[in-house]
Amino acid sequence: MLTRIRNGQKSKKISILQPKTKLCCRILDILLNEGFILGYNCVDGNSKMIKIHLKYFNNKPVIKQIKSISKPSKRVYVSSKELWKINNLLGILILSTSKGMMSDKKSKKLNVGGEVFFFIK
């Protein structure tokens, strides 16, 4: 999904299609709340696809960088104490915690750590 978003914004597309999964919907909820996308909805004829509406500001993509951190070969975990030490200058980390998928800001409020999926700026 991250690669589709990255490629869609490089080619200045208004929206992209993505296969629907629970994980994708949770990540898209976070991106929507943080203001990185305009929105998303199910495609009318096909309920297995999601249409993601990309966001631009002055004809430039809002998402400047998406970097995957945790991979199947190398999982990266952070504790709640380590989150406070990370300075992510105008970007957010997406974490999978015991309380669900959330951004680093919300996990700091709830004082939980977890697996870092990706960084978005």
Side-chain angles (χ1 to χ4, degrees):
M1 180 180 75
L2 301 178
T3 303
R4 286 181 188 225
I5 292 173
R6 187 183 309 121
N7 291 340
Q9 287 204 320
K10 281 185 181 179
S11 62
K12 307 234 184 226
K13 295 201 176 212
I14 296 169
S15 61
I16 57 170
L17 291 175
Q18 168 69 28
K20 183 178 180 179
T21 63
K22 289 181 184 180
L23 179 64
C24 288
C25 290
R26 290 180 190 145
I27 291 172
L28 289 172
D29 283 335
I30 296 168
L31 294 180
L32 181 64
N33 291 337
E34 295 290 334
F36 286 105
I37 60 172
L38 288 175
Y40 70 96
N41 56 359
C42 292
V43 177
D44 294 333
N46 190 357
S47 63
K48 294 182 181 180
M49 297 295 280
I50 301 173
K51 190 173 191 179
I52 304 169
H53 305 285
L54 303 175
K55 188 174 182 179
Y56 296 92
F57 182 73
N58 291 336
N59 292 329
K60 292 184 180 177
V62 172
I63 299 173
K64 294 172 184 66
Q65 180 184 12
I66 299 176
K67 185 177 180 183
S68 181
I69 295 174
S70 191
K71 299 173 183 167
S73 61
K74 184 181 179 186
R75 304 284 185 184
V76 178
Y77 297 95
V78 292
S79 67
S80 60
K81 291 180 183 179
E82 291 171 346
L83 273 175
W84 290 101
K85 297 177 185 177
I86 297 173
N87 184 10
N88 27 340
L89 301 170
L90 303 176
I92 62 168
L93 293 171
I94 305 296
L95 300 160
S96 174
T97 67
S98 59
K99 308 218 177 186
M101 295 288 293
M102 60 183 71
S103 66
D104 60 339
K105 295 173 188 175
K106 188 173 178 184
S107 62
K108 284 179 184 178
K109 287 179 185 175
L110 296 175
N111 200 23
V112 293
E115 182 182 354
V116 181
F117 274 177
F118 62 93
F119 171 76
I120 187 164
K121 182 176 178 182

